[in-house]
Amino acid sequence: MPAGQRTAHFFRILYFSLFIFACLLIFFPGLTIDPSIIDVSQVFKILDYIMIIVQLLVSLLGTLVIQITYSLLSVKSRLPFIGDLAFGAIDGSDIQTQISALLNPQNNLFPHSSIATIGEEVITDLFNFFGATIILILIPIAILSGIGFLREGDTKLAIYSFLGFQLIIIIAIFTENILISTVINSNSLLDLLFSPLFTIGFLLYLLLEIAFQTSYTLNIIEPMTEREKRIQGHLKRIRTFVPRTEEQEKGKEQTVQSIQSKKFGLLASSYLREMVERRVFRKGEKEQDSKSTMRLQSYLANLNQSDPDVELKLAAKTAQPDVSALMKHFIPAMIFRVVAVILFSYIIMAPEGLLNIFVKAAFPALLDSLELSQPEFRTIAIINVALLFILFGVILHYLTSGRTAKIIERVVQQIDTIVDFDRGPKTPISAESIEEGKEETVESVQEEEIS
Amino acid sequence: MLSSRGAFIAIGGILLLSVGLSAKGIGTVTTMIPILFAGEGFTPNPSENTTSGLEWLEAFEILNESPIVDYGMFLGTLLVLASVIGLPFFRASSNASLIRVTRKVDREKAFAGEYIYVTVRIENTGTRRLDFLEIYDAIPDMFEIVLGENFIITQLSGKETKEFSYIIQVSTRGVYRIGPTKVIIHDRLGFYFEENVRHFYTEILCYPSYEDIRRMEALSKRRQQGKMFGAHKTRLKGMGDDFHALARYYPGAPFKSLDWKAFSRTGELMVREFEAEKNIRMVVFLDHSGSMGAGIPYNTKLDFAIRSTMLVMKMAEERQDLFGLITYSDRPTSFIKPGGGKAMFFQLLEILALVEPQGRSDPLAAVDFVMQRVPRASFYVFLTDLESSDSEIFTEAAKRARSMKNHITVISPFGPLFETKLTDLTATERAIAEAIFEEYLGYRKQVEDRLRGIGVEIINVGPDDILPNVIKTYTEGKKIGKGMV
């Protein structure tokens, strides 16, 4: 197995292990989420409410019918020979009576024990219903997307998986079905790290980060490895291509036709003749293909003579990414990122420590402010930190692009010119040499721009 | 700068922050509404009846103290940070302008159907490592990649150089440009990218296909091996070296031509006659007006006319005849004076490679142009569909050319034959096509009648017989000695 593929497999296994660990941590009964949240019966409980709504509607309609019937009866009483029997037995009860009958706790239709707790129970039922429904939808999304990522290497799937898991946790918190402590303690960095909710959230983030690294490996190594294999295959086919002679083709076709004709009779032979004719028409194309392949074969042979690396370059083997370098840079880069993210998160979540150092002297009142612990402050802090990173990026790009060096160079040149001007020309300069000088300057600027 | 993946993570983070803030916000609203309505803060009183009108709000109060606020804020912070934390490092290391891309082709001129080997060289002139680099070398639609790929995804260390190649096949004549090249640098996680398009091009001049000539050469080889019969030689008598025939002696015949062996055999005085070393001067008038571009793509009337011109020019070059070319539409666009030799043949190929169908046709201007530059009698072969010019103009052009004793043959691609195949049409379409055919033929008949009167031969051709007819016109002309030098 090539080194590239081995590396890709390594990252896949890494992702898979962490994925399984996350799944176990979240779904294993009694660890993080209360298994009662994944209760299918909660989904069907909503049917009771639908039934009540339907019955209320029916009662309402019944009342309307009664009212209309009464009106009709009042008309009927003035008409001769039509008695009450014509309308059957009419229950004269009103809608209030019907609703109270429906909401009666003794009634089997109503799922609650008493009228007094109806508000809480309805809300609880709705919470449970939405929680169970959403989680039942999210679980397959989270798991199947993760598995899909392992198969396809598409980062979108890893993101779906990540979002799925996170939403499951959020729903579990929302419906109070979470078994771990939900307090994210940011008193110290260690407290933060050992907060169970932080640990789970961070583990899922780590899974996403590894997914991105895996995707990078898959995107950069696998296509190149496959490309190399594919093109090597093409090259081999071209190298070993031997055109069939006309006699070989002809002999083969005739044999087939004669045998088949004897075997299947007239109808079959006419069919076969048609097929043979079609083949004859296609023969032109085949001949053309064979010719172009032969031409390509000789062209490649000529290229090989002038450049022995032709095949390597065609298969892009000379441009293959360095797997060892990839592995060498992966772990430090990953550790660095993760540590940086944790540190900055901590600073934003618990800014008091940092403010104590930098701001205390100037604005002592700020540290006493209650607003520091509010989410609004964190939001402002994260916006500022993000903008600072962007600003650093812009500055660093500007510094490394070499523009500053060019500007300095130009300034130095200008200063030199001024100095030369002050000194005055020692020898008279001809118009031609001035022109030449101008041209040279223009050319060099163009070169700089091009480079 | 921020890729879709990075943007997705950043927006996800912002959304989660919003969830945290909203969760907090809902709590705030629930505490504020009672204040607004009752004029005092909402203070749940245990002695109060639990079925009060504000009780429903308590259901949402759960959010005010919910860990969702904290968790949303924490996750949002994590994702926003994750999306920006690598940016300074990426911006510091990835500078697309520090990547030098060069392209090399093994030839800049090729015949249609031939291969071109393209090598792209990427050099990181900077010192920092690029983790994820994509290079795309754009090729024209007319080119087909037969081997290799025109892009690469790789990494590049500081000062490192990498190369990749691909082979393309040129399908039709013309001038094409390979390029530009797109350089995309990503970070390792694919959150950021920098794109840069290098507008440098490699121009490829593609001559018309050499396939017909190659086939002809293969045939002539067979002929040399005795597999083919019917060598086309000029049968005119003259002062050449090749023996032609024996003839009866006539007074005044040079004594050195007497064949004494024949005299002894037959008892009659016989003289040896030799074949004349004849060369003709031929000028091909290639009409490239707009109507010549009609037909199936890459097999238009003009394409066939070009193939025919190439073939006949190659034959003329081999037979050491003088051949010239003028291409014209509403004015003469290029001209090669009748001459010979391989260099001239390649000049001609360049002209043919660049010819495009455009404008109307003015054969009179073309004839005047040639007659001014080639005053001697020549063999004019017109390749025109006679559709973009008035018949009067063509007649006038032919008259002028004939007045200077030039021989004229018009090989005229018949439009409908290039545009449709009768067998492919339905009955109705066929009826319409036949009506159009009739109309075309009627018009042609008029032109033909008018031109025949002044000694101009017109040959109507379709895609199947244009090449043989052009060759035949040339060989017949040579036999008769049209435009003899």
Side-chain angles (χ1 to χ4, degrees), chain A residues 208-222:
Chain A
L208 185 70
E209 188 100 358
I210 287 175
F212 288 144
Q213 292 282 357
T214 311
S215 155
Y216 163 70
T217 321
L218 298 179
N219 282 334
I220 201 165
I221 293 175
E222 276 203 339

Side-chain angles (χ1 to χ4, degrees), chain B residues 197-262:
Chain B
V197 179
R198 303 295 168 82
H199 290 279
F200 72 102
Y201 301 90
T202 309
E203 207 167 79
I204 303 285
L205 175 65
C206 178
Y207 299 132
S209 173
Y210 201 71
E211 195 57 33
D212 298 321
I213 294 174
R214 205 172 279 140
R215 237 177 266 162
M216 193 183 72
E217 281 172 350
L219 280 176
S220 63
K221 270 181 196 165
R222 284 189 192 180
R223 194 169 60 205
Q224 281 164 11
Q225 288 162 6
K227 288 181 184 172
M228 295 279 292
F229 299 98
H232 307 291
K233 278 192 172 179
T234 311
R235 293 286 176 191
L236 292 180
K237 293 181 286 182
M239 296 302 290
D241 294 328
D242 290 347
F243 176 74
H244 175 57
L246 285 171
R248 283 176 191 279
Y249 172 77
Y250 56 90
F255 282 111
K256 68 173 184 180
S257 66
L258 277 169
D259 191 325
W260 297 109
K261 283 182 184 170

Side-chain angles (χ1 to χ4, degrees), chain A residues 166 216 227 230 299 318-319, chain B residues 71 106 131 149 151 154 163:
Chain A
Q166 292 295 2
Y216 163 70
R227 170 175 166 168
R230 194 178 62 244
Y299 180 69
T318 46
Chain B
Y71 194 66
D106 69 330
D131 283 325
E149 304 276 5
F151 69 91
T154 190
E163 274 186 346

Side-chain angles (χ1 to χ4, degrees), chain B residues 246-249 258-271:
Chain B
L246 285 171
R248 283 176 191 279
Y249 172 77
L258 277 169
D259 191 325
W260 297 109
K261 283 182 184 170
F263 172 65
S264 65
R265 202 167 52 241
T266 58
E268 277 185 59
L269 276 174
M270 304 290 273
V271 286

Side-chain angles (χ1 to χ4, degrees), chain A residues 155-166:
Chain A
T155 27
K156 266 184 205 159
L157 294 171
I159 293 172
Y160 295 153
S161 177
F162 170 77
L163 288 178
F165 281 126
Q166 292 295 2

Side-chain angles (χ1 to χ4, degrees), chain A residues 6 32 40 44 82 160 188 200 213 268 335 351 425 450:
Chain A
R6 271 206 306 273
T32 307
V40 185
F44 295 106
I82 300 174
Y160 295 153
S188 71
I200 284 190
Q213 292 282 357
I335 292 171
I450 289 162

